[in-house]
Amino acid sequence: METVFRLESPRVIAAVARVVRDVGIAEELAQDALVAALERWPRDGVPDNPGAWLTATARHRAVDLVRRRETYARKLAEIGRDLETSVPFEEPADPDAIDDDLLRLVFTACHPVLSAEARTALTLRLLGGLTTAEIARAFLVPEPTVAQRIVRAKRTLAQRNVAFEVPHGPDREARLGSVLDVIYLIFNEGYAATAGDDWLRPALCEDALRLARQLSALMPKEPEVHGLTALLEFQASRTAARTAPDGTPVLLEHQNRRRWNRMLIARGVTALARAEATTTGAPGPYVLQATIAACHAHAYTYEETDWRTIATLYDLLAARTPSPVVELNRAVAVSMTRGPAAALELVDALAADPALRGYHLLPSVRGDLLLRLGRTAQARAEFERAAALTGNERERQLLLRRAARAGSRPADLRPDGRSALSARPRPG
């Protein structure tokens, strides 16, 4: 039941929000539908299409709510006709005619009346189905802060009567940056879950990738939209190779690249070409990240990876969008070109950054660099610290295994001084 609701709640909320025009009320009605399912499914059995059942139940409750409000009588008639004549969504040829409740929900939650932090937190909560704790980990901020942002955001949207729509013209452009950031964060949570027992949450990746593709159709002249789409295509192509049959994470160096999805890589190449064709100045951050991902995609073996180009691209990305996470990823690339000692200096310089306090990938990367330098005792301590910080059980076990191996034998260095990286770099 928990799994079904987690997967289906974004679609249920989006469908109901179209009726009630209030994301807070829509979320409550979706939860009411879950309560109804908890009462009926154990008795009547789980329906063949649980998501459709939840959506229909929530919609009926939404219509009942509207019916009880006399001032909405005329709108009720319009809604009734819309529900009777609605057909399953199909991607139209006319980009401006895209009619997708999930896309409407993203743009509504990214309205400029909200702060950038509130937009992202609210959309991750409603569309991504993430808990407040998971969003807090993604933002690297305290959980109460995220909870307050979400409550205030829903209240603001209701008080301002924000329309549930995909905007046009300048208004659409104004919201685009936040929309792209939100879609990327949703994909990242599916690609490498911050908490829980599973390393991957494929449904989140699929939703984010579908939204990115539709944005590309909606905004064909925006290079950053194509850049994000290309980035997600490239990243999604690795999904099948990122876990062993038992769900254990498989790091980049050890992945069977024959299992990478070549069709998705081809789609990524096409999207990146569109991004480059529409770019008029310096490439934006998503175009740069997509180009980095393309370097990995074009390497048929780990040894063929063009780390020098990747390091150069990270230099450009760090200059374009400075952040401690970008710098940490840049250090990983530097370690592959200039060696672990040079990279360790960069990582140590980031240790005092408050944004990375509690960020498990910092000690994870540091542990790998120390291991490659033969400082096994220190490496083990770093892996153990990273394991204590991560909220994902699969990742915790991986880090503990690395800690145990570091403590049981000397560092296993290859002739060129390279080794598997403990971090899964998240560009940007």
Side-chain angles (χ1 to χ4, degrees):
M1 182 75 74
E2 180 182 358
T3 300
V4 168
F5 187 71
R6 184 152 191 157
L7 293 176
E8 299 295 342
S9 63
R11 295 178 180 85
V12 177
I13 293 170
V16 175
R18 188 175 185 182
V19 176
V20 299
R21 301 293 197 262
D22 186 308
V23 293
I25 294 176
E27 187 176 19
E28 292 175 4
L29 291 171
Q31 292 170 353
D32 287 345
L34 174 63
V35 172
L38 289 169
E39 294 172 349
R40 299 181 192 177
W41 290 3
R43 181 189 66 222
D44 303 334
V46 179
D48 293 336
N49 191 333
W53 191 98
L54 289 168
T55 300
T57 301
R59 268 183 164 174
H60 290 154
R61 291 173 183 261
V63 172
D64 289 342
L65 177 64
V66 173
R67 184 179 290 117
R68 290 195 297 268
R69 300 175 178 177
E70 293 182 357
T71 57
Y72 284 83
R74 181 172 57 83
K75 186 178 290 277
L76 176 61
E78 297 174 357
I79 292 169
R81 288 193 297 271
D82 179 65
L83 293 177
E84 291 173 0
T85 60
S86 62
V87 295
F89 171 76
E90 293 182 357
E91 188 171 348
D94 179 6
D96 283 332
I98 285 180
D99 182 25
D100 186 338
D101 286 339
L102 284 173
L103 195 58
R104 293 172 187 269
L105 182 59
V106 174
F107 272 97
T108 300
C110 292
H111 196 281
V113 298
L114 304 177
S115 68
E117 295 81 4
R119 299 173 204 170
T120 307
L122 179 62
T123 308
L124 285 171
R125 180 74 179 92
L126 298 178
L127 185 77
L130 307 189
T131 65
T132 303
E134 289 170 337
I135 298 170
R137 289 187 63 82
F139 280 158
L140 307 179
V141 296
E143 187 174 340
T145 300
V146 173
Q148 291 175 0
R149 288 175 184 173
I150 293 172
V151 171
R152 290 172 183 169
K154 289 190 288 189
R155 185 186 303 128
T156 299
L157 291 176
Q159 291 173 345
R160 299 291 187 89
N161 294 317
V162 172
F164 185 69
E165 63 182 6
V166 177
H168 297 272
D171 192 20
R172 181 189 296 174
E173 306 295 334
R175 299 193 217 175
L176 181 59
S178 291
V179 170
L180 297 180
D181 291 345
V182 165
I183 292 175
Y184 187 37
L185 280 173
I186 292 172
F187 182 89
N188 263 345
E189 183 58 33
Y191 189 73
T194 56
D197 297 327
D198 296 320
W199 177 245
L200 302 176
R201 295 172 61 184
L204 288 180
C205 292
E206 291 169 5
D207 276 343
L209 186 52
R210 186 177 66 87
L211 286 167
R213 289 170 179 168
Q214 292 199 5
L215 269 183
S216 291
L218 186 66
M219 311 180 77
K221 297 182 180 180
E222 287 291 338
E224 280 292 84
V225 173
H226 296 305
L228 175 65
T229 304
L231 174 61
L232 301 195
E233 300 279 12
F234 286 132
Q235 300 285 70
S237 72
R238 309 177 199 166
T239 301
R242 296 188 68 247
T243 56
D246 63 355
T248 302
V250 179
L251 297 178
L252 183 63
E253 181 177 12
H254 304 296
Q255 289 176 17
N256 180 358
R257 300 195 176 202
R258 289 190 297 273
R259 300 189 66 198
W260 285 10
N261 190 315
R262 307 312 299 185
M263 182 189 73
L264 291 180
I265 290 175
R267 293 185 67 119
V269 170
T270 300
L272 184 56
R274 289 173 181 160
E276 293 170 346
T278 53
T279 299
T280 56
Y286 284 113
V287 175
L288 288 172
Q289 292 175 71
T291 308
I292 292 170
C295 289
H296 290 291
H298 290 317
Y300 284 93
T301 65
Y302 185 78
E303 288 71 22
E304 293 176 15
T305 305
D306 186 356
W307 288 107
R308 292 193 181 279
T309 297
I310 291 175
T312 300
L313 289 167
Y314 269 121
D315 289 340
L316 295 174
L317 184 61
R320 182 67 185 266
T321 55
S323 84
V325 175
V326 170
E327 290 294 339
L328 184 61
N329 288 328
R330 188 170 76 89
V332 172
V334 167
S335 74
M336 306 303 287
T337 57
R338 293 164 47 196
L344 185 61
E345 292 182 10
L346 299 176
V347 172
D348 287 345
L350 295 171
D353 195 309
L356 295 181
R357 188 176 298 122
Y359 189 50
H360 70 285
L361 290 185
L362 179 64
S364 177
V365 171
R366 194 169 189 275
D368 182 81
L369 297 176
L370 290 167
L371 185 63
R372 291 165 59 188
L373 290 169
R375 295 157 62 177
T376 55
Q378 292 173 285
R380 176 174 183 170
E382 290 297 296
F383 288 137
E384 290 175 343
R385 186 160 72 93
L389 290 173
T390 183
N392 185 280
E393 183 59 29
R394 294 286 187 181
E395 189 169 28
R396 179 181 292 110
Q397 294 303 319
L398 171 67
L399 290 165
L400 289 176
R401 285 194 298 271
R402 296 211 74 197
R405 287 197 296 267
S408 63
R409 55 187 172 84
D412 184 14
L413 292 179
R414 301 188 321 205
D416 58 3
R418 296 179 181 177
S419 177
L421 291 176
S422 60
R424 56 179 194 287
R426 292 186 180 183

